[in-house]
Amino acid sequence: MTPQELAEASARAMWNDDSTSQRLGMRLTHIAPGEATLVMTLTDAMTNGHGNAHGGFIFTLADSAFAFACNSYNQLVVAQHCAITYLIPGRVGDVLTASAREVSRRGRSGIYDIRITNQDGAHVAEFRGHSRTVTGTHLPE
């Protein structure tokens, strides 16, 4: 398998078991080694007491993009540390895109940056995830 085929097969295997991303209406629109892009539309059920998007849903979208990017090598990888900075509020009806890219991957550790934008290209949030490879694979070796 090429690295791209491996990334696609790993993503399919993960997606099949990812009920959270599926139930929130996320769509995986891009996968490549160390990269992933997910899209999600903000609904009324995702708002907070201010009428804006609840930060937890924006975080979840970014975290899902992070997960698909760092699991694109057919190794089981989990989050070790994550941080997010919110720049502007999300609004009901916004279509958010979380684009993850690998910054570093050495040994069992990785660093990934995820940029979250809305349908107008406005920068909604920035997420950085630190990953840790654990035992196991998505696909039989």
Side-chain angles (χ1 to χ4, degrees), residues 53-92:
H54 190 290
F57 289 101
I58 296 171
F59 185 98
T60 301
L61 174 64
D63 189 47
S64 289
F66 168 45
F68 280 95
C70 66
N71 279 275
S72 60
Y73 300 100
N74 192 32
Q75 295 177 306
L76 296 184
V77 182
V78 297
Q80 182 179 41
H81 171 77
C82 304
I84 192 165
T85 302
Y86 301 99
L87 303 171
I88 63 171
R91 308 271 187 220
V92 171

Side-chain angles (χ1 to χ4, degrees), residues 30-136:
H30 169 74
I31 188 72
E35 299 177 5
T37 303
L38 273 77
V39 177
M40 179 180 77
T41 301
L42 294 173
T43 67
D44 285 330
M46 298 174 178
T47 59
N48 62 21
H50 300 292
N52 298 320
H54 190 290
F57 289 101
I58 296 171
F59 185 98
T60 301
L61 174 64
D63 189 47
S64 289
F66 168 45
F68 280 95
C70 66
N71 279 275
S72 60
Y73 300 100
N74 192 32
Q75 295 177 306
L76 296 184
V77 182
V78 297
Q80 182 179 41
H81 171 77
C82 304
I84 192 165
T85 302
Y86 301 99
L87 303 171
I88 63 171
R91 308 271 187 220
V92 171
D94 279 354
V95 178
L96 299 185
T97 300
S99 301
R101 69 173 183 80
E102 186 175 273
V103 174
S104 174
R105 181 173 164 259
R106 296 185 184 238
R108 294 178 53 211
S109 298
I111 299 174
Y112 294 78
D113 283 342
I114 297 83
R115 175 170 284 213
I116 301 90
T117 57
N118 68 16
Q119 68 280 354
D120 299 322
H123 195 177
V124 174
E126 194 70 28
F127 176 108
R128 175 162 272 194
H130 297 242
S131 67
R132 191 72 171 166
T133 302
V134 295
T135 303

